[in-house]
Amino acid sequence: MPRVPQLGQLSAHAVGGPVKKQVPDKTELGRTRVLVVGDVMLDRYWFGAVERISPEAPVPVVRVTREEERLGGAANVALNVKSLGARATLLTVVGDDEPAHTLKRLLERDGIDTLLGSDPQLYTIVKLRVIGRSQQLIRIDFENQPDHEVLAEMLQDYETTLAEQDAVLFSDYGKGGLEHIPRMIELARRSGKPVLVDPKGSDYRRYAGASVITPNRAELAQVVGAWSSEAQLRERAQALRVELGLEALLLTRSEEGMTLFDARGDTSVPAQAREVFDVTGAGDTVIATMAAMIACGLSPREAMPLANRAGSIVVGKFGTASVSYDELFE
C-alpha cells in the first residue's frame, strides 16, 4: 500500500503529477471558509442489551441503556469540515419541531456557523438506529417529502454569504432541499468559487457547471449505466464530465479506492488497508476533505489522496463520525 504523504508535501506518484501546492497547515485551514448547503438530519442511536426474543414476534427485545444524538446529512458534512480545522457555514431549512431544536443545539456546541430557515410544514428528518450487541438491528426514518421548495426564501442569504466563502459544497440527499441548485451553482461560479457536489438521483444535469462531483459506484451507474471494463468506465465518466462542464469527477469505489477523471485523463488511489467498522457517513467525510483542501488552493488531483485517507479513517469509527487534522496527518 502507498505511504501516506507527510505533512507539508504530497508525492508526485500520489497525485499523478508534479505538486504545485503544499498541504495547508492548521493556520491556513483556520482561515478557510466552506459553505455547506443541503439536506440535514438528526441521527439518533439507541444502544441496549439483547437478552431474549420477544414472545409477541420472532424479534429481539432490546433493553435500551444509552442514547446518543449526532449531526447527520449536510450537518455531518459541515462537522467534518470543521473537524479538519476549516470554518464551516451551514445553510439549510429545518422544521419547527423538537429535532430541529436539538440540531441547532448540536451545531452551536460544535462551533458551526448557521443560516437556518424554519418551515413549519417540514418535518426535520430523524434517522433512529437501534443497536444491540454492537450491531444495528433496525433503522427507523422520520420524514416527510416537502410539497414546495424549502430553500427558495433563502436565496438572498446564500448570495450574501457567497462573498465570504472560499468554496461551496452541496450535500444532496434527495430530500427536496436543493431544487434551486442550478441557480445556486451559477451564482457561485459567477463569484469565482469552486463548487463541489455529493450527487443524488439519475439526473445530473442539475449539477452542470460544478467544479467536482463525487458519486459512488452505484450512483454513477444509475446515470451512465453499468460498465463492463475500466475502458468503458473511463469513456462514460469522461463523456459525462464533458457534458456537464465539470473540472473533475471523483468516483468513490469502496474497497477499490478512488478514481478521478479530469481533462488530463484519470488517476486512481487504492483503498488503504484498514478494518471497516461502519461506512455510515464516509461519503460526507470524503467530500468535506476535498472541499476544505480545494478551498485552500489544492487541485482536485492533489486533494484526492487526502480525501481517500480521511475516508479510510472514518470507516473505522462507529456511526456518523468525523476526522481531525491530526488524525489525517499523523
Side-chain angles (χ1 to χ4, degrees), residues 118-183:
S118 180
D119 186 336
Q121 299 181 53
L122 184 67
Y123 295 161
T124 304
I125 299 170
V126 175
K127 291 185 177 181
L128 169 62
R129 298 171 176 90
V130 180
I131 313 296
R133 294 178 179 173
S134 300
Q135 293 183 331
Q136 184 178 147
L137 303 179
I138 190 172
R139 193 184 89 183
I140 306 168
D141 292 0
F142 302 86
E143 63 181 275
N144 69 330
Q145 195 68 27
D147 59 4
H148 57 290
E149 169 50 57
V150 296
L151 276 179
E153 296 181 359
M154 298 198 70
L155 277 175
Q156 184 59 53
D157 293 319
Y158 174 81
E159 290 189 63
T160 301
T161 194
L162 267 181
E164 305 172 351
Q165 309 299 325
D166 297 299
V168 181
L169 190 167
F170 292 99
S171 181
D172 193 350
Y173 274 81
K175 304 300 183 182
L178 286 175
E179 292 302 314
H180 277 77
I181 192 171
R183 175 62 174 160

Side-chain angles (χ1 to χ4, degrees), residues 35-43 70-79 89-95 103 107 115-117 122-127 142-146 148-152 154 169-181 184 197-201 206-207 219 284 287 320:
L35 174 63
V36 179
V37 185
D39 303 305
V40 297
M41 53 199 71
L42 177 64
D43 284 354
R70 303 184 186 183
L71 298 171
N76 182 51
V77 176
L79 177 60
T89 299
L90 176 65
L91 187 147
T92 190
V93 175
V94 294
L103 274 172
L107 290 164
L115 293 168
L116 295 182
L122 184 67
Y123 295 161
T124 304
I125 299 170
V126 175
K127 291 185 177 181
F142 302 86
E143 63 181 275
N144 69 330
Q145 195 68 27
H148 57 290
E149 169 50 57
V150 296
L151 276 179
M154 298 198 70
L169 190 167
F170 292 99
S171 181
D172 193 350
Y173 274 81
K175 304 300 183 182
L178 286 175
E179 292 302 314
H180 277 77
I181 192 171
M184 290 179 166
V197 181
D198 190 356
K200 186 69 69 176
R206 58 206 302 263
Y207 308 131
E219 290 166 342
D284 295 345
I287 194 168
T320 46

Side-chain angles (χ1 to χ4, degrees), residues 10-13 15-21 264 299 301-302:
L10 285 173
S11 68
H13 173 73
V15 300
V19 176
K20 300 178 181 178
K21 177 91 168 83
R264 293 168 53 187
S299 72
R301 283 194 173 220
E302 292 167 339

Side-chain angles (χ1 to χ4, degrees), residues 2-298:
R3 179 176 62 85
V4 177
Q6 297 299 307
L7 180 62
Q9 65 179 6
L10 285 173
S11 68
H13 173 73
V15 300
V19 176
K20 300 178 181 178
K21 177 91 168 83
Q22 288 190 336
V23 172
D25 60 24
K26 286 186 177 181
T27 301
E28 188 176 1
L29 262 175
R31 294 193 298 263
T32 301
R33 299 185 62 116
V34 177
L35 174 63
V36 179
V37 185
D39 303 305
V40 297
M41 53 199 71
L42 177 64
D43 284 354
R44 282 189 163 137
Y45 295 87
W46 289 358
F47 299 88
V50 179
E51 299 169 345
R52 62 192 178 97
I53 300 298
S54 171
E56 304 166 355
V59 295
V61 174
V62 182
R63 179 170 53 84
V64 176
T65 57
R66 179 167 60 92
E67 300 179 23
E68 280 189 22
E69 293 174 321
R70 303 184 186 183
L71 298 171
N76 182 51
V77 176
L79 177 60
N80 271 269
V81 171
K82 177 71 175 179
S83 296
L84 285 170
R87 298 184 63 182
T89 299
L90 176 65
L91 187 147
T92 190
V93 175
V94 294
D96 184 15
D97 49 21
E98 180 272 331
H101 302 320
T102 300
L103 274 172
K104 292 175 183 178
R105 175 175 55 80
L106 294 176
L107 290 164
E108 182 177 355
R109 178 200 66 186
D110 292 327
I112 298 171
D113 297 331
T114 57
L115 293 168
L116 295 182
S118 180
D119 186 336
Q121 299 181 53
L122 184 67
Y123 295 161
T124 304
I125 299 170
V126 175
K127 291 185 177 181
L128 169 62
R129 298 171 176 90
V130 180
I131 313 296
R133 294 178 179 173
S134 300
Q135 293 183 331
Q136 184 178 147
L137 303 179
I138 190 172
R139 193 184 89 183
I140 306 168
D141 292 0
F142 302 86
E143 63 181 275
N144 69 330
Q145 195 68 27
D147 59 4
H148 57 290
E149 169 50 57
V150 296
L151 276 179
E153 296 181 359
M154 298 198 70
L155 277 175
Q156 184 59 53
D157 293 319
Y158 174 81
E159 290 189 63
T160 301
T161 194
L162 267 181
E164 305 172 351
Q165 309 299 325
D166 297 299
V168 181
L169 190 167
F170 292 99
S171 181
D172 193 350
Y173 274 81
K175 304 300 183 182
L178 286 175
E179 292 302 314
H180 277 77
I181 192 171
R183 175 62 174 160
M184 290 179 166
I185 291 175
E186 178 188 356
L187 291 169
R189 299 302 284 156
R190 186 185 301 170
S191 299
K193 313 297 182 182
V195 174
L196 296 90
V197 181
D198 190 356
K200 186 69 69 176
S202 58
D203 183 9
Y204 280 14
R205 290 174 298 181
R206 58 206 302 263
Y207 308 131
S211 307
V212 183
I213 64 172
T214 62
N216 60 34
R217 288 180 297 193
E219 290 166 342
L220 184 61
Q222 188 179 1
V223 177
V224 303
W227 51 88
S228 58
S229 66
E230 287 296 304
Q232 190 177 64
L233 166 61
R234 187 177 300 113
E235 178 184 355
R236 294 182 180 183
Q238 289 286 22
L240 179 64
R241 184 188 66 80
V242 172
E243 177 188 351
L244 299 180
L246 309 173
E247 179 182 348
L249 185 155
L250 176 63
L251 174 62
T252 58
R253 311 178 71 172
S254 300
E255 72 280 357
E256 296 178 0
M258 299 179 180
T259 301
L260 185 136
F261 303 90
D262 61 12
R264 293 168 53 187
D266 60 272
T267 182
S268 298
V269 290
Q272 297 186 9
R274 182 180 293 268
E275 181 179 359
V276 177
F277 186 78
D278 192 340
V279 299
T280 304
D284 295 345
T285 300
V286 167
I287 194 168
T289 305
M290 288 289 292
M293 297 304 155
I294 289 174
C296 279
L298 273 69

